[in-house]
Amino acid sequence: MKKILTVLVLFTAVFTAQAQNSLMENSRRVSTRGYAEREVTPDIIYLSISLKEYYQDGNSKRKVSIETLEKQLFDAAMKNGVKKEDFTIQNIYSYNAETKKKNNELLQSRQYRIKVTNLNNLNKMMDEVDAKGLQSTSIAGYDHSQKRQIEKELKTAAVKDARTNADILASADGGTVGKALMINDNSNVNWNEIMPQPRMYAMAKTANAEMDGAGTGVDLDIRPIKLTCNIDAVFELK
C-alpha cells in the first residue's frame, strides 16, 4: 500500500512540475495587433430602371408598348456589355393614362435591375432607350469584382503587420519572436454598409429638349471607399 502511495506521490510531483514548466513556457508570449487599409473604387453598379407605356401625342391609338421599350433597353444593355443573366425584371405595375377617353386604359410600367460592369458605356446604353418611356433611373447599389481577393490581401498584410509589431516589442526586451500561437480576425468587412450612398442624376428628354436634339444623360458620383482590417495575434517569445 505504501509503495502505491509513493508512486502516486511521485507521479503527481512529476505531473505538477511538467505543468509548471509548460505554464512558464506558454507564459513567454507577446500579444499584438496588426492593421491594414486600402482605398477601393467600386467597379460594378446595379441600376434600377423603370419604363412606362405611353400614348404618342396623347393619341390613344398610338401607344408605345412596354414590350417595345423593354426590347430597346434589353438590346442596348446587351450591346454595351451587360450579360443576359444580369438583366432582370423586379416589378410590374399599371397606371391610368390621361386621355380624352372616358374609360382610360391601364398602361403598364416595369422596373428592371441591371448589373453594369463597364461604366464607360452607361450613357450610350441610356441614349438608345426612348426617353419618353423612361419613368425613373436610380442606383440600387455598388460592388467590386475583386472584393474577395482584396479582403485576402488585406488580411495577409494585417498579419504581417502584427508580426512586425511583435518583433519590435520582443527586441525591446532582448528577445525574439517565434511561431504564432493565436491569430484572431477582428475584421467585419460588410461591403453593403461601407459602400457610399448611391447617387445618380438622370436627365430625361423633355418636349423642348427633343427640339434641341438633347439626349438622356446620366451623371454618376462614385467615390472610393476605405477598407480596413484588424488582426489580434499572440506569438511565442524566445
Side-chain angles (χ1 to χ4, degrees), residues 86-104:
D86 294 334
F87 185 100
T88 57
I89 298 177
Q90 282 190 303
N91 281 302
I92 298 177
Y93 310 95
S94 59
Y95 67 100
N96 284 316
E98 296 181 1
T99 66
K100 297 179 181 180
K101 295 174 63 176
K102 292 183 179 180
N103 298 322
N104 291 335

Side-chain angles (χ1 to χ4, degrees), residues 132 204-213:
K132 284 188 175 181
K205 286 190 285 188
T206 63
N208 292 331
E210 283 188 18
M211 296 294 292
D212 298 332

